[in-house]
Amino acid sequence: MRLTCIVLFGLLEFTINAQSVNVEGITSIKQSDVYSIQSQDLAFGGSIASIGDVNSDGIGDLVVGALIGPTSNYGGFYVICLDSNGLAIDTMRVAFGSSNFSSSIGVNSGFGFSACSLGDLNNDGLTEVVIGAHSLEVGNSEPGGVFLMSINWNSKRVENVVLISNNNGGFTGSISNDEDFGYSVTSVGDLDNDGVNDLAVGAPGRSTSGNNEGAVYILFLNANGTVKAFQLIDRNTEPQLNIGSDFQFGFAIESIKDLNADGKKEFIVGVPGGREINGRDFGELWVLDVTSNVQRLARLNHISSNFSSELDSLSSIGSGLAVLGDIDGNGIEDIAIFTDQGEITSATTNHVSIIYLSSSIGIDSMQILTGLPGSFNSFNSVFDLCSRQMAGNIDINSDGQLDIILGAPNYNSAEGQINFIFLDGISHISIPEFEQIENWVSISPNPSDGQIAIEQLGSDVTAAEIEVLNVNGQVVHTASLSDQRTTLELDVPSGNYFVRVIDEVNGKYQLEKIIVE
């Protein structure tokens, strides 16, 4: 079935290292678009995770957390299959008593407010997901927990449900009361090289010699989803990190590709209480290497970068985090951060910023996305647009540019919605060593039937090479431009393409998007 949604279109723009990345559209899905909600169903968008293509249609799908199900066992999530426009075409609702989920979670467990995919752990063709329940009661305390389960889309049910917490799921550690174990979760790949992906779990409420210093647990998993070993990173086990009181280390956590090309796995951990100045929690992000001895490779905060003025306007950095993939085309993955006390204008409100990372594990560039004047005028409030729940590294509309998904669980009196921010960037087919210019050549008509004319606009004719690329950056046609004007006959399927005109002698190029109908 095709489910309705709100579609808002506009053209938004922000600058990255002299390159232009546009937000060409925003699609929003609210909870009532995917299910006939009941009165107690709230906070759709409480978590978001990309889980790959569960229905095998070539388009990535999502897990979205919400407060759903009976109030005695409150919490759950939706598996949502999408089309290329960000429309929900089918869904599966997972809560107590539905879709084969029968684990007791209680009233205020937070089940569904963190999520990630682990891929296919046991090679049975099913995707495994992890759903956090950071206030879950286990025994006589409230340590929190995470549920690992398989998504069987064909039968619309979950299978092989495993709870990981105290005395559950093979976990042999001791999680204290109110640790918020499961507040954040992320897949970390196969750290121990046993062929099974492993898991990192944040516990920002863990207290050792202080209060709420926080912790991260690395769980080494068996193929059946149980824990075979674990590593605890907290104030006592890793004193060199200097985790202080109220740091809330582990509030957010993401695995990221090797930033400094040393062959080791790295993590970015949110520490929203990590830098307090004059009573204000600026917060920070820590980049950690955990492959052998735990090392902090970098602290990203308002005094450790060239973007202090931008970061100075934000507070509680590290309260929300998502890896976006390589947005700016420099070979390094980039991130989005959420801050709940941004002071871009006279009003203090939520903000999402995009951080472009460098190979030296610093901030190469940044943009406070929600601080752009007029950018999101279609939203009545920034709380309808974003919260700490975000997801990236997914190309929803298959245009070759990675997009961003923002959760807004407070939308419409806490019904909740998710917002797809479609980027129309060209960074993945840029030429970093050349200067990108404009108004050197014109390309017409656009759209076309495949026949296009390329004409140099100036009086001086420059020899150049022409490349036509598809949205994945693959060259599908080449030609030369030696005269004022040349015509191309493109024998390609209908769709979006890029024309790249290159002057190698002078080190410059022009890049234009075209549509073939």
Side-chain angles (χ1 to χ4, degrees), residues 116 118 130 146 181 184-188 191 198-202 216-219 253-255 267:
C116 72
L118 288 173
V130 177
V146 297
F181 177 82
S184 58
V185 294
T186 190
S187 172
V188 296
L191 286 181
D198 302 309
L199 177 68
V201 180
V216 170
Y217 292 79
I218 308 297
L219 306 182
I253 183 169
E254 287 279 352
S255 175
F267 303 89

Side-chain angles (χ1 to χ4, degrees), residues 416-467:
Q417 71 177 11
I418 58 175
N419 301 301
F420 299 89
I421 312 301
F422 293 108
L423 299 182
D424 181 22
I426 56 177
S427 57
H428 62 302
I429 50 176
S430 63
I431 308 176
E433 64 271 24
F434 283 9
E435 177 188 5
Q436 184 177 349
I437 62 173
E438 297 180 354
N439 302 319
W440 168 31
V441 300
S442 67
I443 301 174
S444 63
N446 190 18
S448 76
D449 60 2
Q451 184 181 79
I452 59 174
I454 300 178
E455 182 175 0
Q456 298 192 48
L457 299 176
S459 57
D460 295 330
V461 175
T462 303
E465 297 301 313
I466 301 169
E467 295 177 337

Side-chain angles (χ1 to χ4, degrees), residues 218-235:
I218 308 297
L219 306 182
F220 301 94
L221 299 177
N222 296 305
N224 65 359
T226 59
V227 179
K228 69 176 181 181
F230 76 97
Q231 177 183 1
L232 172 62
I233 302 173
D234 70 359
R235 182 174 183 168

